[in-house]
Amino acid sequence: MENRPQFYKDITLPFYGYNRPGAKISEGIREKWWLQGMLGGVKAGYDCIKAFSETDFTEDLKKFDVPTLILHGDDDQIVPIAASAPLSAKLVKGAKLKIYPGFPHGMPVTNADQINADLLAFLQQSKEAAA
């Protein structure tokens, strides 16, 4: 990569959906992402991308035996929804799939209130079902 610092700055635009019309850009979030990227090792960053983009997790997903919530934004520009969440939900027995219209890949940050509320609700439902 020719300019690693610039890459980590630029990737925040599609990652958080900041390149969409009307997006409210948070420079603080962008700076936090940049710092995290720069603190990570080059090899670790490469290996992470290689693992999630080239590894077939089909057999692992079929072995899940716990309540599983799969969340995905339908405007994810980093991991396209068609190639991920619905396929995973079919492989994980009893998985609950929740798709968020217009949410980006970085939705746990940009839409934290919604994501956290849904996670808590899922945990509560799972707890009640287990009791």
Side-chain angles (χ1 to χ4, degrees):
M1 180 179 312
E2 186 175 314
N3 188 336
R4 187 168 165 246
Q6 191 63 49
F7 168 79
Y8 281 116
K9 184 174 182 181
D10 292 345
I11 195 71
T12 62
L13 298 175
F15 191 92
Y16 294 110
Y18 291 158
N19 60 345
R20 297 300 196 211
K24 183 180 176 190
I25 297 172
S26 168
E27 290 303 325
I29 290 172
R30 292 186 76 202
E31 289 172 14
K32 177 181 173 259
W33 174 267
W34 178 87
L35 179 60
Q36 288 174 325
M38 293 308 296
L39 288 172
V42 173
K43 175 130 173 47
Y46 173 82
D47 287 347
C48 174
I49 293 168
K50 182 174 176 54
F52 81 68
S53 65
E54 296 180 14
T55 305
D56 182 356
F57 292 106
T58 300
E59 295 308 313
D60 296 307
L61 291 168
K62 289 178 181 179
K63 294 176 185 175
F64 279 37
D65 62 357
V66 296
T68 304
L69 176 62
I70 298 172
L71 308 176
H72 207 110
D74 74 355
D75 193 30
D76 188 329
Q77 299 171 68
I78 305 302
V79 178
I81 191 168
S84 56
L87 301 175
S88 296
K90 288 179 184 174
L91 294 170
V92 176
K93 292 178 199 120
K96 179 179 179 183
L97 173 62
K98 185 157 180 90
I99 297 172
Y100 297 93
F103 282 22
H105 191 77
M107 67 186 189
V109 174
T110 59
N111 304 90
D113 291 344
Q114 180 69 56
I115 300 299
N116 289 337
D118 290 344
L119 287 171
L120 289 171
F122 179 76
L123 290 171
Q124 185 62 39
Q125 291 168 358
S126 297
K127 181 180 172 183
E128 291 168 3

